[in-house]
């Protein structure tokens, strides 16, 4: 496996161990960050996958057509996302 494949697998396991509140906190940390590397792309892909798996109401605020937008922060209340 390559470094990025290993990193992706590591992040998938890590994100699956987080509570939904913690996961959304990780998402919100990425909002406004314009830096880009291969590692960040893999990190965001794993984050996107885990958020999508959770079947959270309002996920379409940040994920549409399988692509995640990190333009706006969200809050998680009663198993639903709302924009801040």
């Amino acid at each position: 496996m390559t470094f990025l494949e290993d990193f992706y697998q590591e992040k998938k396991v890590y994100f699956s161990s987080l509570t939904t509140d913690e996961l959304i906190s990780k998402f919100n940390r990425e909002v406004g960050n314009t830096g880009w590397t291969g590692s960040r792309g893999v990190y965001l892909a794993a984050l996107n996958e885990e958020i999508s798996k959770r079947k959270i109401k309002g996920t379409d605020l940040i994920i549409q057509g399988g692509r995640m937008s990190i333009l706006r922060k969200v809050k998680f209340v009663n198993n639903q996302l709302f924009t801040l």
Side-chain angles (χ1 to χ4, degrees):
M1 277 191 166
T2 67
F3 167 77
L4 289 179
E5 290 169 334
D6 286 342
F7 187 67
Y8 179 71
Q9 293 303 319
E10 178 185 314
K11 290 304 167 192
K12 280 180 57 171
V13 170
Y14 171 67
F15 289 143
S16 70
S17 73
L18 298 178
T19 67
T20 302
D21 283 325
E22 292 169 326
L23 192 64
I24 297 307
S25 177
K26 298 294 182 195
F27 169 84
N28 283 333
R29 281 187 31 211
E30 297 301 319
V31 173
N33 181 347
T34 59
W36 195 258
T37 65
S39 296
R40 182 163 188 248
V42 167
Y43 178 92
L44 292 175
L47 182 61
N48 180 355
E49 184 176 329
E50 185 60 33
I51 290 172
S52 296
K53 278 186 195 176
R54 304 257 176 134
K55 306 289 189 218
I56 303 165
K57 293 177 188 170
T59 301
D60 61 330
L61 294 171
I62 58 172
I63 300 173
Q64 295 181 358
R67 297 188 66 169
M68 186 170 67
S69 169
I70 52 174
L71 295 176
R72 298 182 299 184
K73 291 185 178 189
V74 293
K75 64 180 175 178
F76 178 69
V77 179
N78 296 326
N79 200 41
Q80 185 164 353
L81 295 180
F82 300 92
T83 56
L84 291 178

